[in-house]
Amino acid sequence: MAQDGAHDLAHLQRVVAMAKRLANIERANPFVIVPAAWLHDIVNLPKNHAERHLASHYSATEADAFLSELGYDDRDREAVKHAIVAHSFSANVSPKTLEAQVVQDADRLDALGAIGVSRCLMVGGQLERFLYEVDDPFGNERPLQDDVYTLDHFYQKLLCLEGTFHTRAGQQEATRRTQFMRAFLNQLASEIDP
């Protein structure tokens, strides 16, 4: 796995912990969820990589080979592969199983709240993007460009995630974390234009 500050071991640990929590609440299969959560970013391409949308497919292939060596049966491996492929926002694959929904929700929760704000800013810095466009920081009168301005990513993607959650517990946590992000952006607005 390529290392970056937003997709490090701590990210995996948070996603696994949340996936276990959601799995317990939803009564989903932990033998699918736990390996899928641990291995979902085994192939991690930079956000600006041309094949970024294929990273979850590459991760699923690597995970399948690893789990085969461990003796996972074909049915469970297929379920893990689907959960890994479907977790990705950029792959745009709908989760067809409860386990895939849980893994997707757990990963998306890590893009929200205080940790989501932190990760977004880290990635923006790593990709050498401006924090915001000086004349219109929040994109009120211009097209959003999150490949240029980090704040635009909040409006192009992160604040839109709340409506994409599948599990009830995931949705509740997404709402709470999104409220925090909106409060952060309101505070930022007051500091940009006092």
Side-chain angles (χ1 to χ4, degrees), residues 114-146:
I115 200 71
V117 169
S118 302
R119 291 177 70 219
C120 181
L121 297 176
M122 288 175 68
V123 170
Q126 182 180 4
L127 296 176
E128 299 180 354
R129 294 177 177 160
F130 295 103
L131 180 57
Y132 57 86
E133 198 276 333
V134 175
D135 294 325
D136 186 3
F138 299 95
N140 295 320
E141 297 178 18
R142 64 173 175 81
L144 295 171
Q145 297 175 274
D146 70 353

Side-chain angles (χ1 to χ4, degrees), residues 118-180:
S118 302
R119 291 177 70 219
C120 181
L121 297 176
M122 288 175 68
V123 170
Q126 182 180 4
L127 296 176
E128 299 180 354
R129 294 177 177 160
F130 295 103
L131 180 57
Y132 57 86
E133 198 276 333
V134 175
D135 294 325
D136 186 3
F138 299 95
N140 295 320
E141 297 178 18
R142 64 173 175 81
L144 295 171
Q145 297 175 274
D146 70 353
D147 58 335
V148 179
Y149 306 109
T150 299
L151 279 190
D152 287 14
H153 192 62
F154 285 88
Y155 297 98
Q156 274 190 269
K157 178 182 175 184
L158 300 181
L159 295 176
C160 302
L161 290 177
E162 182 181 5
T164 68
F165 283 77
H166 302 281
T167 65
R168 182 178 175 140
Q171 178 63 58
Q172 290 171 341
E173 184 64 15
T175 298
R176 189 180 71 78
R177 292 185 186 201
T178 301
Q179 288 171 348
F180 172 86

Side-chain angles (χ1 to χ4, degrees), residues 35-90:
W38 275 118
L39 300 171
H40 78 277
D41 278 339
I42 198 167
V43 175
N44 179 31
L45 300 175
K47 293 287 186 188
N48 59 352
H49 193 283
E51 294 187 351
R52 174 69 183 170
H53 64 289
L54 299 174
S56 66
H57 292 274
Y58 297 152
S59 290
T61 299
E62 292 291 323
D64 185 52
F66 176 68
L67 294 174
S68 179
E69 289 179 23
L70 294 180
Y72 258 68
D73 67 40
D74 291 346
R75 189 186 74 216
D76 285 341
R77 285 199 339 267
E78 284 302 314
V80 169
K81 283 171 50 181
H82 172 64
I84 291 173
V85 169
H87 94 273
S88 170
F89 184 86
S90 58

